[in-house]
Amino acid sequence: MDFGLIYKRVINLIINPKSEWENIKLENISKKDAVKKYAIPLILLLTISTFLGNLFYTSRLTIHPLYPLISAAAMFIIVYAGTYLSAILINELTSSFNSKKNLNATFTLVIHSLTAFFIFTSLAYVLPEPFYEVRYFGIYSLYLFWLGSSSLLDTPVDNKVGFTFVSTLIILGIYAVLSMVFSRIIGGIFGLGLIEK
């Protein structure tokens, strides 16, 4: 796991995404490498931030002692499974938007476009309450997806907005369903809410 490379990629995707998408395209990253070498480290960052945020900022008087650990584990499962399932479903829709159907490229697109979401949500969990709104900068992931769809899937300009919109609905929908399921299961067992700061 090359943390230096991950750091450089994160910075470049945030600051100079157009050029970085071209670099990613040239690398021809496999689905396995996209998940193992990029997604998992960032999901672990979000998981650790969730744990620390709930440990430091959740009231000890109103929450179960295991809440920080449980919410962190749930966050990892929800985001990992959600990202994985989203990439598979989005790949099945690519031809509907005149885009190239390629599972490796779609996984690379989905995972790397979520960079802003991973980073800014992680920051939001470890910052004090007044700064929690920093998570909204994660919306930048929409632009990353929109930009990357041309580089990796040859999405025509006329189809980029629709493809980005539908893909966003898929990702949000899957995350929402998984969050609801875990919230009900764990809430029923421990009587606590899930992944709330």
Side-chain angles (χ1 to χ4, degrees):
M1 203 174 292
D2 190 339
F3 291 106
L5 180 63
I6 294 170
Y7 174 79
K8 183 179 178 181
R9 174 129 295 162
V10 166
I11 296 299
N12 288 340
L13 277 170
I14 299 296
I15 296 175
N16 191 13
K18 188 173 183 179
S19 175
E20 193 62 17
W21 277 123
E22 291 305 313
N23 292 334
I24 292 170
K25 180 180 180 179
L26 291 174
E27 291 174 11
N28 195 24
I29 302 168
S30 68
K31 178 185 76 169
K32 180 180 178 181
D33 282 346
V35 172
K36 181 179 178 181
K37 296 182 179 180
Y38 194 77
I40 289 181
L42 290 183
I43 294 171
L44 283 174
L45 174 65
L46 180 55
T47 301
I48 293 168
S49 296
T50 302
F51 174 77
L52 294 176
N54 284 307
L55 185 65
F56 295 143
Y57 301 121
T58 303
S59 171
R60 303 296 185 275
L61 300 176
T62 60
I63 206 68
H64 193 283
L66 290 178
Y67 177 73
L69 184 61
I70 293 168
S71 63
M75 178 65 84
F76 180 88
I77 295 169
I78 289 166
V79 177
Y80 180 86
T83 302
Y84 203 96
L85 291 172
S86 296
I88 291 172
L89 288 178
I90 290 169
N91 185 61
E92 293 303 313
L93 292 175
T94 51
S95 56
S96 299
F97 293 91
N98 297 317
S99 302
K100 179 175 63 178
K101 187 175 182 179
N102 182 315
L103 192 59
N104 285 330
T106 304
F107 261 84
T108 300
L109 172 64
V110 171
I111 287 168
H112 286 78
S113 66
L114 287 171
T115 294
F117 163 75
F118 291 139
I119 296 302
F120 290 112
T121 305
S122 296
L123 276 174
Y125 268 97
V126 295
L127 292 174
E129 189 66 33
F131 302 101
Y132 189 55
E133 308 310 317
V134 73
R135 72 188 190 278
Y136 291 122
F137 285 108
I139 293 173
Y140 190 64
S141 283
L142 293 176
Y143 175 68
L144 292 179
F145 188 98
W146 179 84
L147 201 60
S149 63
S150 293
S151 297
L152 299 185
L153 301 180
D154 299 326
T155 305
V157 174
D158 293 344
N159 295 96
K160 287 173 69 172
V161 172
F163 184 44
T164 300
F165 178 73
V166 171
S167 297
T168 300
L169 290 181
I170 289 171
I171 294 169
L172 292 177
I174 290 174
Y175 278 15
V177 169
L178 289 172
S179 295
M180 182 180 67
V181 169
F182 274 86
S183 183
R184 290 185 180 277
I185 292 173
I186 299 176
I189 295 173
F190 293 97
L192 48 84
L194 183 63
I195 60 172
E196 290 294 334
K197 188 173 179 179

